Amino acid sequence: MDKIKLLVYGEGPTDYGWRDASGEWRAGPIIYLLEKCAAELQTELEIDYVDKSVIDGKKRMKFGMRRTRNVNGKGIPALRFTVYALDRGYTRGIFYCDTDKVEYGKNTRESDCKKDFEKIYEDVLQGLQDDISKKWIGIPMIALKMIECWLLADQDAYQNYFGSRPEKALLPKRPELIWGEKKEPKSDYPKNVMTRVLKQYHKEPGREVFIEIAKATQVRVLLEKCPISFSKFYEDFERLLLAET
């Protein structure tokens, strides 16, 4: 089995992980999804992490306007990630982020969600490509609209972890397309849906339970239920693993 070294960045503890009290990195749910994808593609991963503060926090590097003139939105932290990776000799990297709500259009309309996803994807991709190095390949890993949508895809994951499929609050048929008022507990805002689903198991949303759901989630189900964002990532990930650097 091939082994690939990756540098990974994410937005926080509930996606790519966190440093514990001893300074050791604790992997978040997307890392387990990455490893599942790699196993499907007969590849083993060696993963390193970059702290959020260095890329999009107090310790982030500053760029002049000339350096960022072709980069927008989340492409700017993606550019910082690229520069950081290249400075440290990495040849492959994954930049994770959410799209959050749709900026223009309707948050539950597939065409609008897809259009918004494609814009953010292109912004991030531009940041990951904005360097003259031919040894580097960086890809976006973007959840539409947030990590909860991916973790609401596979009912068998809940069966495997909790012992039963969700019944009192069902999983959405198209988890990428759900949306609602954040402050309305009964809405289809992804975090509210996750709260209701987990309530039947007497659990609350958080990094530990998200990790267990990710561990039990099947790649084929994610590809089926999240065709806009996860399928795009899987396609790019396969290209990254096969690339010569």
Side-chain angles (χ1 to χ4, degrees):
M1 180 178 286
D2 293 334
K3 189 170 187 178
I4 298 293
K5 187 172 184 178
L6 284 176
L7 183 67
V8 177
Y9 168 80
E11 295 185 323
T14 57
D15 48 68
Y16 83 133
W18 69 99
R19 291 194 187 279
D20 62 21
S22 69
E24 292 295 316
W25 193 269
R26 299 283 301 278
I30 69 162
I31 305 304
Y32 293 97
L33 296 180
L34 279 175
E35 290 176 341
K36 281 178 170 285
C37 291
E40 291 272 334
L41 298 167
Q42 299 183 329
T43 303
E44 183 181 353
L45 300 179
E46 178 184 342
I47 299 176
D48 290 340
Y49 306 89
V50 53
D51 287 320
K52 181 177 174 64
S53 63
V54 176
I55 304 301
D56 201 21
K58 293 181 179 180
K59 299 179 181 179
R60 68 184 183 273
M61 64 187 76
K62 308 298 183 184
F63 292 134
M65 291 184 65
R66 183 176 180 181
R67 188 73 172 87
T68 60
R69 67 181 183 273
N70 295 321
V71 186
N72 299 298
K74 294 189 177 184
I76 295 175
L79 174 59
R80 294 193 195 105
F81 173 71
T82 299
V83 173
Y84 179 95
L86 287 167
D87 284 348
R88 286 153 183 80
Y90 290 95
T91 59
R92 291 178 174 89
I94 293 177
F95 181 97
Y96 172 87
C97 66
D98 297 334
T99 66
D100 299 318
K101 66 179 181 180
V102 170
E103 187 173 358
Y104 301 106
K106 191 173 182 181
N107 280 286
T108 55
R109 184 181 293 125
E110 182 174 0
S111 58
D112 292 340
C113 290
K114 187 174 182 180
K115 185 176 181 180
D116 198 67
F117 170 81
E118 289 171 350
K119 179 185 181 303
I120 293 173
Y121 176 91
E122 289 300 325
D123 285 347
V124 172
L125 190 62
Q126 183 63 40
L128 294 174
Q129 293 180 336
D130 192 28
D131 199 276
I132 61 174
S133 174
K134 295 181 179 180
K135 295 183 178 180
W136 163 256
I137 177 170
I139 65 168
M141 185 180 191
I142 304 174
L144 176 65
K145 306 179 178 74
M146 53 188 70
I147 188 63
E148 284 84 353
C149 295
W150 285 358
L151 299 179
L152 287 166
D154 188 355
Q155 61 181 345
D156 286 339
Y158 292 78
Q159 170 76 51
N160 294 335
Y161 177 43
F162 296 111
S164 63
R165 291 181 173 186
E167 293 180 353
K168 295 181 180 179
L170 300 177
L171 299 189
K173 293 181 179 179
R174 291 291 304 275
E176 293 181 304
L177 303 183
I178 60 173
W179 197 253
E181 290 294 329
K182 182 177 180 179
K183 295 181 179 179
E184 174 49 61
K186 294 182 180 180
S187 78
D188 281 342
Y189 185 72
K191 293 184 186 296
N192 294 345
V193 175
M194 177 62 80
T195 296
R196 294 198 301 271
V197 168
L198 291 178
K199 185 177 181 180
Q200 64 195 297
Y201 302 110
H202 309 289
K203 296 283 187 179
E204 294 183 358
R207 59 196 185 191
E208 300 294 349
V209 70
F210 285 5
I211 286 169
E212 296 304 323
I213 295 170
K215 286 180 179 179
T217 295
Q218 302 172 82
V219 172
R220 64 171 181 81
V221 176
L222 275 170
L223 291 170
E224 176 188 347
K225 293 293 187 66
C226 301
I228 298 172
S229 60
F230 192 81
S231 292
K232 181 58 179 172
F233 162 71
Y234 190 84
E235 175 187 323
D236 287 344
F237 187 59
E238 185 172 16
R239 174 173 55 85
L240 177 145
L241 296 184
L242 295 173
E244 295 184 6
T245 59

